[in-house]
Structures are given as C-alpha cells and as structure tokens.
Amino acid sequence: MRRRRGSTPLPQGEGSAREARAGEGVILAIAIDAPLRRLFDYQAPAGVEAAALRPGTRTWVPFGRRRVVGVIIECRDTSSIPSAKLRNAHAPIDPEPTFDPGLLELLRWSADYYRHPVGEVIAAAMPAALRQGTAVTPEETLWRLTTFGREQALEQLGKRAVRLRSLITALHETAEATAQTLADATGNGSDVLRTLEARGYVERFIQAATRTEDLSHGAVRPAPTLNDAQRHAVTSVCESLGRFATWLLHGVTGSGKTEVYLQAIAEVLGRGQQALVLVPEIALTPQLIARFRDRFDAPLAIVHSGLSDGERLTAWRDARSGAARIVIGTRSAIFAPLAKPGLIVIDEEHDVSFKQQEGFRYSARDLAIVRAQRLGIPIVLGSATPSLESLARTRRQPETLLLLPQRAADAQPPRLSLIDLRKHAGAQGIATPALLAMRRHLDAGNQVLLFLNRRGYAPVLFCPSCGWSAHCARCDAHVTVHRGSSDLLCHHCGTQQRAIEKCPTCSELVKPVGQGTERIEETIEQLFPGSPLARIDRDSMRRKGELEATLARIDSNEIRILVGTQMLTKGHHFPNVTLVVVLNADQGLFSTDFRASERLAQTIVQVAGRAGRAERAGEVLIQTEYPDHPLLTLLLHGGYDAFAAGALQEREQSGWPPYTRIALLRAEATQRDAPRRFLEAAVSAARELSVRGVKLLGPAPAPMERRAGRHRAQLLLHAATHQPLQRLLGVWIPALEALPEARHVRWSIDVDPAELF
Ligand SMILES: [Zn+2]
Ligand SMILES: [Zn+2]
C-alpha cells in the first residue's frame, strides 16, 4: 500500500538558485511551544513561494539562541516590530501544512477558550517526533540511473566489472530503488553505488513515502441482532450522519452500548469515512479494543500514553492519511488529524480522565462536541452514568437522548442494599453480613468483587498511646502504609519515608489504621484460604500485560475473589461475578467539592454494574456509616436517574454548573503568603476592569493547603453564562501576567474545572 509522490532533488550546490521570491516582505505570525500567550513575528524565508507558507505549516525558526519548530498561524503584511529587528524563518519542514485549516482553527479556538498559550496547545496536538522536526511524510533516499548511465554504462563498463554491471542491470529493471533493495537483489552495498555515482552513471534523490488511503471499504464481520432500543439508537445516529448532532446514549451497564457504536461505525466505514472513538484509558479496556478488532477488518490507529514516539507518529500519520479507518484513543486523541471524519464517539463520557488537570486544562469531551459541530458530523456520548452536563443538555433537547433500558440477553439488574457499619461488627473493614454473603456466593460457584478506592495497606500510621500519626513532610496529608515495602508513601507527591515501628514522640509501638486494598487482600486470604484472589490496582498492575493476564484468569473462573480500586469499574465484563461489596461508600459523601456526590454515585452504579451481567442476578452490598444519607437513599430506591434528577435540581438551586459557568485561578508557592497576596492583587485587578456579570469568590486556601512543599490558594470565578466569564478572562489574564506579585507564584487558570482543588 505504499505510494510515492513529491520527488525533491538533493541540493546540487550553488547552481540551484531559484527564481521564486514571492515570500519576501511577508511577515509570518508563528506559534512556538513556549509558555507565552502570543504569536511571534518572523520574516518569511527568502526564495520560498507563498504557497509553501500556508497556515498550519511547520517551519524551523531561530528562538533566542535555539532553533525550534514553529507553526505558521498567519501571513501578514506588517508587524509591530521594526523590520530590522525581525529574524528570518527558515524554510518550511514539509511541502504541505501539518494541520488542515479546520484542525488549526479548533486548536486556536481551544487556546482561546481555555486561555492557554497557543504554541503549547498546538505542540500538545503533535507527536513528539513532529515537535522535534521530523517530516510529516517519511522520506527515503532512492537511486536511479542518470540519462548518461542509462545509455552508456553497460557499454563503457568492462565485462569484468561484475559488481558494477549487476547494479546497473538491476536499475534498468526497477527504474528506482533504495540502497537496501538493491543490496538484497545484487549483494552489493552502497560503496558500489557511490562508485557508480562518482562516474555519473547513477544519482540519488529524496522521495516522500506515504501509506495512502484506501477508504473504499473496510470489511465488517457479522454483527449480533439488536434489540429494539439498540436498533432505534443505531438508526437515529446513522440518520444524522453528514450533519452535526449530539446524542447521549444512556444505557444501563450491560445494555449493549458498544454494539451501538460498532454498528453505527460500520455505516460510517461503508460511506468511506473515519470514526474517532475516545475512551478513558486504553490500558484498562483491552476488551473494548478486542471487540473493535474482531468486528472490523479495517486498520485501526490506537493512540495512548504507552506508545513509543515512533508508534505515536505512525498512528498520527495513519489517522491523517485516512489509512486508519478507526482512530481509538484517550483524551489527547481529540486532536488527531482526520482525512475523512464521519463520526465521533466518547465512551464513558462521564469519566473525569477526559479533563486534563494540569498544563493545558482542556475537556476532551467538550472539545469533541465543538469539533463535531465544526466538522458537521454527529457525536455520540455514551455512559451508564451520564455527567450532569450531558443530562442537562438532553433536558433542553429531549430528542437527543437515546435510552437503552434493558440489559442485553435479558440479564437481571443487580439488587442494591446497604449495610450499616455502626450496627455490625466485622473483620478489618468487612462487616459480618458481607462476609456471610461472600461465603454464600462462593459456595454457589460464583465470583465476588470487593471495591475499595484506596490502594496500599493502610491510609494512616497511628500511635494509640499519644495520638501521633505519620504525615508527609511536604503535604498536608497522611502517608500511606504499603505492605512489603519498608517505606511510607505519600499518594499526593510521591515522597517516600522510612517506615517506623516506634512512635517518634513517645516511643510506644505504632500501628496501621484503616484499610487499603492490600490489607483487604490479606484479611480475605486468611478468611477464605481456598478461594484464589486477585488484587487489581495501580500497584499490582504496574507491569505491562499484567492486567490482561489477570483478566484472563478471572474469565476462566480460576480467580474467585476480586479486590480492587476504580480500575475494576472501567468497562470490564465479569459475567461470573454475582456479588459486589462496596467497602466504603462514605468517601465523597461530605466533600466540599460540588461534584463529589456525582462522582460517588457514578462509581457506585458503575461498580454495581459489574455484578450479574450474565443470566445470574447480582447482589450489591454498600457499607456505610450513614445509611440515611439522602444520596444513598435516592440511589437505592430510584437508581442513577433519581439521583441525577435530585442532583440537577440542587445544582440549579445553588447556582452551580451546568446551570452556571465557573473558572478557577490557582496559585502556589514555597513562600506561605505569596499565593494569597497574588490572588488579592488579582481580585483588585479584576475590579479595575469592571467587567459585569462575574462574581469573584475568594481567595481561599486550597482544600489541601500544602502539597509537594508548596502552599496553595485559589480564587473562584462564577458567572451565569460563559460570555461574561470569557470577556473578563480576555482582559484580566494580560493584567495578571503584569502583576508584580505574579513573579513569586506559579499560577494557572482552569476554565470549567472538573475538581475544585
Ligand atoms: Zn506516641
Ligand atoms: Zn506528599
């Protein structure tokens, strides 16, 4: 499938002067990967045609004392910088723009909306190899006969020059070839080619090699029959192909959302178009990828953080050329170039990982909607527990809601009940009713899943005599005890401390308090010695392939008990699990973050959804010290829908998103008072700008005031709609950059923050 195009002769020394001077006098506004919210002006390189300097084209430019890759954003006639001071850009790296106009505009829009330096935004959309100047189209050096060589070489070369003649003969047959191909065919290396080159018989040239599109058809293997709700969903999405539409596919766990994606994508491929699928975490969803591979005999590009630079570049190229029919990736794949986009799918759209939490703080889900709108194509947001943002949208546009109420193959929904931890004794965080239920389900030959969103052995190391506990030296947080390691680990900054046996204050013995997944594993192994157990969290699944291997052992029923964190809730199918125990539902019930209850409800429903996916009905036990908490009551009696309705009403009454817009200005510094001083100056600066319609709340210390040795504070911006907020940010941020107090802090702006810390 390799086709070649665009042959460029190697420079032939001084003699190759070119006439075209169209670029001269033109100013290039260039985006550079630097933390500055601006473009940089350069003179267009001399002798380069204007057509080679289109927006989106990468070019080398001098920047300070370095030479860096920049991306042309605009060509202008004038610059505010005197022309004598303007430096010259070098020649473009590629003959074509790296970014098509649509993608470039999306990137500029994103930089503007999230108030992030455009150069960094564009850099984030490129694989590392492109940031470092690798050509978009891979180049290779080819050899061919010169006219002279074609006509004269075999006559002039003596009969005994066997090696030279064999190469000439080979080139007569193939017209052009790489040195490697010629070596394979004749057994002669490039030293012989250079001899021929010196005599003028052969020449080399550089050619762009690219895998080109074959968009005619990707074979689709037979698909299962859909139920009525699935069919309605597929039909609705397919009828909207070719125009913008936002669909929310709200399907209870196990209702067959993936099958809807697959059949809609089959239609997209049939039209010769590509599909972009975003998932929370590739490494955690091997089963989903396997289903795509099983169904489609079409090339996939899979983009995730585990790729090497080379693999990442190949995936990017295949997406851009159209060679990859389906592009599946995590958050950053929203910026994948697409030759013929037809559909965007966001699986598990509620997942917090779609929001980048540092640097360029974008929401891939929100940008996906913007991108679909700009492309004029539909987008499907799928979830069993949709975000309140997406649910609020379907309240305004009820026709965009696609419901899958049934579990596929008539599987029964799980039964939820609460265990009051205040009334029941237990062993190490597992109450007696839960232990009895475990025994019952294991005896029936089924699997049991224990969920606890806390890795490690114990969250606190405590002295019972004097009340001392082990803290991180750099954070306002306890350090976590890890079994089998002699260290105490801070989960917030990664700092390790030596474990101790005796209290540093009173010298009595200290003890671990509370439970992490490691301790649950230890307890369960003692109580159920005959039932093989697998612990699934970031510590136990560190090695590549470990998760797949463990999932296979679960699938074969070799593993009987699963203990794990959030990792267990993401997309896996455990058809033999009939009991789920949520060991501690109380983390998140009383958080200061307005989204905490939404997250908790989503987690409980997602983990509950792992139970009883086959013909066996599942049982879900939720351990809590607050059995009367309204959130738990709503979830228990009305499910996620009832919870979401209550939560939306509360958000509307208290003025939180999705009914309002917020942004967060964060500041941190090693100096204790610097963040507050900066934020106070920021408040004054905002007052002077007198933009109406934005409330400033704060400054206030961050919920964890000190983290990794830095003091942190924040200021919340609150507005009824996004226009006044954006208007303020547009004039306020330049003012913040100029504040003297800004020199003593690291600050960042987070538009539509996912978490308030
Ligand atoms: Zn003590
Ligand atoms: Zn720490």
Side-chain angles (χ1 to χ4, degrees):
M1 257 218 322
R2 288 178 91 82
R3 191 192 298 166
R4 301 199 170 92
R5 60 172 186 211
S7 107
T8 320
L10 279 186
Q12 299 290 310
E14 297 301 309
S16 64
R18 283 205 264 164
E19 294 290 317
R21 295 157 64 85
E24 207 148 289
V26 171
I27 308 297
L28 304 177
I30 290 182
I32 288 170
D33 185 3
L36 296 164
R37 289 177 178 82
R38 50 169 288 206
L39 299 173
F40 297 86
D41 284 359
Y42 286 87
Q43 298 268 18
V48 176
E49 290 179 42
L53 300 171
R54 279 172 288 163
T57 304
R58 287 180 308 145
T59 178
W60 286 105
V61 291
F63 189 68
R65 289 186 194 165
R66 293 179 301 147
R67 196 177 72 127
V68 301
V69 172
V71 173
I72 300 173
I73 301 297
E74 280 169 11
C75 297
R76 298 172 181 159
D77 296 333
T78 55
S79 170
S80 55
I81 299 165
S83 63
K85 285 196 175 174
L86 280 178
R87 300 172 81 178
N88 272 52
H90 301 292
I93 295 169
D94 307 299
E96 297 282 321
T98 305
F99 297 100
D100 64 58
L103 185 50
L104 189 65
E105 278 308 306
L106 178 75
L107 291 166
R108 294 186 68 185
W109 186 91
S110 311
D112 213 42
Y113 183 83
Y114 292 107
R115 303 288 158 185
H116 197 75
V118 66
E120 290 189 350
V121 169
I122 290 176
M126 286 193 271
L130 293 185
R131 290 201 294 274
Q132 288 148 16
T134 304
V136 164
T137 318
E139 288 179 343
E140 55 192 1
T141 302
L142 295 173
W143 294 83
R144 67 186 167 203
L145 292 168
T146 58
T147 313
F148 171 63
R150 192 177 311 117
E151 288 165 1
Q152 305 286 330
L154 287 177
E155 279 179 34
Q156 290 184 356
L157 288 168
K159 286 267 183 285
R160 290 164 68 191
V162 180
R163 299 173 68 199
L164 300 181
R165 293 182 69 92
S166 73
L167 273 168
I168 298 288
T169 311
L171 281 170
H172 268 293
E173 282 163 12
T174 64
E176 62 193 38
T178 62
Q180 187 58 50
T181 314
L182 291 168
D184 292 345
T186 68
N188 293 302
S190 42
D191 52 328
V192 184
L193 280 166
R194 277 195 288 274
T195 307
L196 293 170
E197 186 186 31
R199 297 195 193 175
Y201 295 145
V202 302
E203 63 181 0
R204 50 182 139 169
F205 61 103
I206 288 177
Q207 213 171 42
T210 181
R211 276 216 292 176
T212 48
E213 66 278 19
D214 173 18
L215 284 174
S216 53
H217 216 279
V220 178
R221 300 204 179 84
T225 316
L226 300 174
N227 62 35
D228 289 346
Q230 286 174 312
R231 195 173 312 115
H232 169 71
V234 171
T235 310
S236 302
V237 174
C238 288
E239 278 173 358
S240 72
L241 291 175
R243 66 178 168 85
F244 171 59
T246 307
W247 300 105
L248 176 62
L249 182 63
H250 182 183
V252 300
T253 323
S255 61
K257 288 186 297 294
T258 307
E259 193 53 45
V260 173
Y261 308 150
L262 291 171
Q263 300 209 12
I265 288 171
E267 174 83 16
V268 170
L269 300 196
R271 292 168 171 233
Q273 294 176 323
Q274 292 167 289
L276 173 64
V277 182
L278 298 193
V279 295
E281 217 167 330
I282 298 263
L284 300 185
T285 47
Q287 290 162 331
L288 181 81
I289 304 292
R291 283 185 73 184
F292 274 84
R293 288 203 192 284
D294 287 348
R295 182 64 56 83
F296 299 109
D297 194 15
L300 307 185
I302 298 177
V303 190
H304 58 91
S305 57
L307 295 183
S308 69
D309 285 355
E311 289 168 329
R312 190 171 286 271
L313 181 59
T314 303
W316 188 92
R317 281 172 174 154
D318 288 350
R320 184 173 183 265
S321 70
R325 310 293 311 279
I326 304 169
V327 179
I328 305 180
T330 45
R331 181 173 65 222
S332 66
I334 187 54
F335 299 117
L338 297 167
K340 285 194 165 187
L343 177 69
I344 301 178
V345 173
I346 314 277
D347 189 31
E348 308 295 349
E349 64 89 30
H350 64 278
D351 198 282
V352 71
S353 74
F354 288 121
K355 170 82 179 180
Q356 175 136 316
Q357 306 275 20
E358 56 191 31
F360 171 31
R361 293 169 166 82
Y362 64 96
S363 157
R365 180 194 63 208
D366 296 350
L367 280 183
I369 297 172
V370 174
R371 191 170 186 190
Q373 184 168 26
R374 289 166 162 255
L375 289 168
I377 62 173
I379 175 169
V380 179
L381 307 169
S383 179
T385 52
S387 62
L388 296 184
E389 274 77 7
S390 295
L391 285 173
R393 187 181 313 102
T394 61
R395 290 189 163 199
R396 297 192 301 271
Q397 301 163 300
E399 71 285 359
T400 63
L401 176 62
L402 304 171
L403 276 176
L404 301 181
Q406 261 179 309
R407 292 189 142 204
D410 295 327
Q412 297 295 310
R415 297 185 308 275
L416 274 67
S417 46
L418 299 179
I419 296 177
D420 187 345
L421 282 175
R422 298 167 307 180
K423 287 189 189 153
H424 296 284
Q428 291 297 352
I430 312 168
T432 310
L435 290 170
L436 292 172
M438 285 180 69
R439 172 61 65 206
R440 205 170 61 241
H441 283 261
L442 289 170
D443 285 348
N446 301 325
Q447 290 172 329
V448 169
L449 187 161
L450 304 181
F451 173 79
L452 178 64
N453 212 9
R454 197 192 275 143
R455 64 193 175 88
Y457 186 78
V460 181
L461 188 64
F462 178 72
C463 171
S465 309
C466 75
W468 172 91
S469 58
H471 279 80
C472 175
R474 308 176 68 217
C475 305
D476 292 335
H478 283 114
V479 284
T480 301
V481 184
H482 280 255
R483 185 179 57 177
S485 114
S486 54
D487 291 321
L488 302 169
L489 187 68
C490 175
H491 285 186
H492 303 284
C493 70
T495 301
Q496 295 190 352
Q497 294 175 23
R498 260 300 163 76
I500 47 167
E501 287 182 359
K502 289 187 176 168
C503 174
T505 325
C506 72
S507 302
E508 293 296 316
L509 285 178
V510 292
K511 64 177 212 175
V513 176
Q515 287 82 34
T517 47
E518 290 176 2
R519 193 171 207 171
I520 297 296
E521 176 182 20
E522 182 186 88
T523 307
I524 294 298
E525 274 169 348
Q526 285 162 6
L527 294 173
F528 300 89
S531 302
L533 175 150
R535 174 166 62 87
I536 299 186
D537 57 31
R538 257 166 238 287
D539 298 315
S540 65
M541 296 294 131
R542 231 177 261 283
R543 273 188 318 167
K544 201 174 174 182
E546 187 80 40
L547 181 64
E548 281 92 332
T550 307
L551 291 176
R553 289 169 63 214
I554 295 168
D555 214 38
S556 69
N557 226 7
E558 178 195 334
I559 299 288
R560 306 298 308 287
I561 303 174
L562 293 69
V563 175
T565 58
Q566 202 89 21
M567 262 182 126
L568 274 175
T569 67
K570 304 216 174 185
H572 307 300
H573 297 249
F574 301 120
N576 299 321
V577 168
T578 51
L579 172 67
V580 167
V581 184
V582 177
L583 291 172
N584 184 352
D586 298 342
Q587 304 160 317
L589 280 181
F590 302 99
S591 170
T592 51
D593 193 323
F594 73 98
R595 284 189 218 270
S597 63
E598 176 184 356
R599 303 252 183 274
L600 176 63
Q602 285 163 345
T603 302
I604 290 177
V605 174
Q606 290 284 346
V607 71
R610 309 301 125 192
R613 304 195 75 167
E615 60 291 342
R616 284 170 269 202
E619 186 177 355
V620 179
L621 302 175
I622 301 169
Q623 299 195 145
T624 177
E625 291 193 12
Y626 308 93
D628 301 323
H629 193 283
L631 161 62
L632 293 175
T633 315
L634 273 175
L635 260 185
L636 215 63
H637 299 297
Y640 187 76
D641 290 336
F643 157 77
L648 275 172
Q649 196 177 22
E650 200 184 303
R651 296 261 188 104
E652 189 164 20
Q653 283 163 0
S654 52
W656 282 111
Y659 298 100
T660 54
R661 294 302 187 111
I662 57 172
L664 199 59
L665 178 65
R666 298 185 176 91
E668 56 172 49
T670 46
Q671 231 188 321
R672 181 179 295 272
D673 295 330
R676 188 182 42 80
R677 275 203 299 269
F678 166 73
L679 294 176
E680 280 166 1
V683 171
S684 310
R687 298 246 159 81
E688 276 170 36
L689 295 166
S690 60
V691 174
R692 284 161 183 271
V694 182
K695 267 188 290 182
L696 302 175
L697 306 170
M704 188 187 292
E705 193 177 350
R706 202 169 52 103
R707 183 170 177 166
R710 294 175 163 271
H711 298 272
R712 306 149 78 228
Q714 57 194 33
L715 176 67
L716 187 69
L717 285 72
H718 189 280
T721 62
H722 80 97
Q723 286 95 345
L725 193 56
Q726 287 290 341
R727 221 168 21 243
L728 174 69
L729 293 175
V731 285
W732 191 44
I733 287 174
L736 295 182
E737 285 172 333
L739 286 176
E741 290 85 351
R743 287 201 294 272
H744 306 292
V745 297
R746 273 196 216 153
W747 63 271
S748 62
I749 190 82
D750 191 347
V751 178
D752 306 332
E755 282 160 354
L756 294 189
F757 59 76

